[in-house]
Amino acid sequence: MIGVNRGISYTDETCCVVNYMNLDALSDFWRYGYYYANMLGNFLTKLPFGENLLALKIYSALFVSIIAVVGYFFCKRIVTPYVAFFASIISISLCWCPTLILYNYMTYFFFMAAVILLYKGVIGNSK
């Protein structure tokens, strides 16, 4: 949430719109990725103050916070809380793109969920 009121860019919102200009040339992977990201963005605009760019930036920045908190609470059970905290800080640092490009953050979230499920599947119920 640091810097959420600085650097609001109109180019963040138009990133997915450009991809719809030649939708037939996209593979199914990208087509569905853009579709679901835009449906999530449509949901965010229906939230209170969703027509405001600052509110959209705050709502989309919450995805980074959710990724960090879920990762912290999962890793805290495996390693010490200090290591889990620094791992969460590092994971937040790797979120480099503007938060309003939702298909990137959906990818980060689903990648984290896949790693957690893979870990739970490999380790089993021992931890």
Side-chain angles (χ1 to χ4, degrees):
M1 299 299 286
I2 295 175
V4 78
N5 63 346
R6 291 182 287 156
I8 296 176
S9 173
Y10 291 104
T11 59
D12 296 348
E13 293 81 36
T14 60
C15 178
C16 288
V17 175
V18 172
N19 294 315
Y20 280 112
M21 294 172 68
N22 195 10
L23 191 61
D24 295 331
L26 295 175
S27 68
D28 286 341
F29 175 79
W30 288 107
R31 188 177 301 135
Y32 291 127
Y34 290 137
Y35 175 76
Y36 289 124
N38 283 326
M39 290 300 105
L40 180 60
N42 185 22
F43 170 74
L44 291 179
T45 60
K46 293 182 184 346
L47 293 175
F49 305 106
E51 69 278 354
N52 187 342
L53 281 177
L54 180 60
L56 284 176
K57 180 114 180 182
I58 291 170
Y59 291 147
S60 62
L62 289 174
F63 290 120
V64 178
S65 302
I66 290 169
I67 291 169
V69 168
V70 168
Y72 171 75
F73 282 118
F74 174 73
C75 291
K76 187 175 77 165
R77 299 182 319 162
I78 301 167
V79 295
T80 63
Y82 295 113
V83 173
F85 175 76
F86 287 117
S88 294
I89 295 296
I90 291 171
S91 70
I92 291 171
S93 300
L94 293 175
C95 295
W96 57 270
C97 66
T99 57
L100 285 174
I101 303 175
L102 294 173
Y103 64 87
N104 284 337
Y105 287 95
M106 288 175 63
T107 303
Y108 298 155
F109 179 77
F110 287 125
F111 182 73
M112 180 194 63
V115 168
I116 289 173
L117 291 174
L118 180 65
Y119 179 82
K120 287 181 146 300
V122 169
I123 296 301
N125 292 329
S126 64
K127 288 199 177 197

